Amino acid sequence: SRATPITDASLSTSNTFNLIADQNDGTGNYSTLIDKEAVSFTNNIWQTTPSHYYWSGIANKTVNFYAYYPTNISTNITHSAGSAPTLLYTVPSDASNQIDIITAINPNVSGSTATSTPLTFNHIFAAVKFAVGTSGLPSGTIKSITINGIKNSGTYTFGSGWTLGSTTSSFTVSPSTTINGTSGENIASDDFTLMMIPQIFSNADVSLVYNNGTTFSAKISGTWNAGGVYTYKLSKTIISDFTEKVNTFF
């Protein structure tokens, strides 16, 4: 089910993420040591369960770590030993079916380390939200907001980013939110945030529909970066401006 975008400073200890680890034999040949195994917070540390793995004790037998959350994207991830995993993904058109995905890498970790290995997770999508612009909107209940003409699929390579597919699609949020129409008012809660593949786009169509059938529309262009939060401020002239915030994640 849809989850609110992750904004905490660290993963909750109730969460589980998956881990891939490739080990160098010391001469540049890699084998997969850990293959999409679950990592949970157990006995006050994050660890794979039920299996346990140990350092080689040899410095040049390095390990490349790759992690991702949520774990249910495993079937979309492919991986060959010695190469970064890739995620093949198509964004659902309905925001209620979209998820927030975070990934982490830590390559070339010494096989003789005696310390814990940190994983810094980053969002791979851009978050898109909506609020009332400075010119205001009519009061009423918002039935839907749709953006059309946005790339909807691609391949994400851990540590490198996205290669976009060729197709575009429309994306819809259906908040059923009643607004006063005053400047700065949120049109939908975080649960209705669009999680979009980062991209440069032009002349995308935006439409705002009320329950009574009233519709406003316009075209927008811009750039969405991974980890960025973009709030579009909608007015009677539909898009007056937008604010961009780039979050700092764990």
Side-chain angles (χ1 to χ4, degrees):
S1 61
R2 172 59 189 248
T4 302
I6 302 161
T7 58
D8 296 333
S10 62
L11 274 177
S12 167
T13 54
S14 64
N15 290 132
T16 298
F17 63 88
N18 274 10
L19 185 69
I20 297 170
D22 288 342
Q23 186 173 47
N24 184 345
D25 68 357
T27 63
N29 298 309
Y30 282 91
S31 60
T32 298
L33 179 68
I34 303 172
D35 188 14
K36 302 181 182 178
E37 291 191 25
V39 176
S40 59
F41 195 76
T42 306
N43 296 325
N44 294 317
I45 61 172
W46 291 95
Q47 59 180 309
T48 53
T49 52
S51 301
H52 297 283
Y53 299 89
Y54 300 91
W55 301 112
S56 66
I58 301 171
N60 65 346
K61 287 193 174 184
T62 57
V63 181
N64 295 338
F65 290 99
Y66 308 94
Y68 57 91
Y69 175 91
T71 59
N72 61 6
I73 63 172
S74 287
T75 54
N76 296 89
I77 290 178
T78 58
H79 166 252
S80 298
S83 298
T86 59
L87 167 69
L88 182 63
Y89 194 78
T90 299
V91 181
S93 295
D94 188 337
S96 64
N97 296 320
Q98 295 174 2
I99 58 175
D100 189 7
I101 297 175
I102 55 177
T103 65
I105 67 169
N106 193 355
N108 301 316
V109 178
S110 171
S112 64
T113 185
T115 61
S116 60
T117 299
L119 290 172
T120 301
F121 283 84
N122 292 285
H123 293 257
I124 69 171
F125 293 129
V128 178
K129 302 181 179 184
F130 302 95
V132 179
T134 54
S135 299
L137 281 170
S139 61
T141 301
I142 305 299
K143 179 181 180 181
S144 65
I145 304 169
T146 298
I147 299 180
N148 187 39
I150 299 296
K151 293 288 181 67
N152 67 332
S153 65
T155 300
Y156 175 80
T157 301
F158 282 57
S160 299
W162 286 93
T163 300
L164 292 175
S166 59
T167 60
T168 62
S169 183
S170 62
F171 301 93
T172 300
V173 296
S174 304
S176 297
T177 301
T178 300
I179 62 170
N180 295 321
T182 55
S183 177
E185 183 180 6
N186 288 330
I187 294 177
S189 68
D190 285 347
D191 289 340
F192 293 94
T193 301
L194 286 169
M195 306 306 299
M196 299 284 92
I197 293 177
Q199 59 192 276
I200 299 172
F201 61 96
S202 59
N203 295 319
D205 296 307
V206 178
S207 61
L208 173 71
V209 181
Y210 285 77
N211 273 3
N212 64 6
T214 299
T215 302
F216 298 106
S217 61
K219 292 185 180 294
I220 61 171
S221 300
T223 300
W224 293 335
N225 295 309
V229 180
Y230 302 86
T231 301
Y232 285 87
K233 298 178 180 178
L234 315 182
S235 298
K236 292 179 182 179
T237 54
I238 199 67
I239 305 296
S240 58
D241 56 7
F242 74 93
T243 58
E244 173 185 350
K245 179 178 67 176
V246 178
N247 285 349
T248 299
F249 301 105
F250 52 92

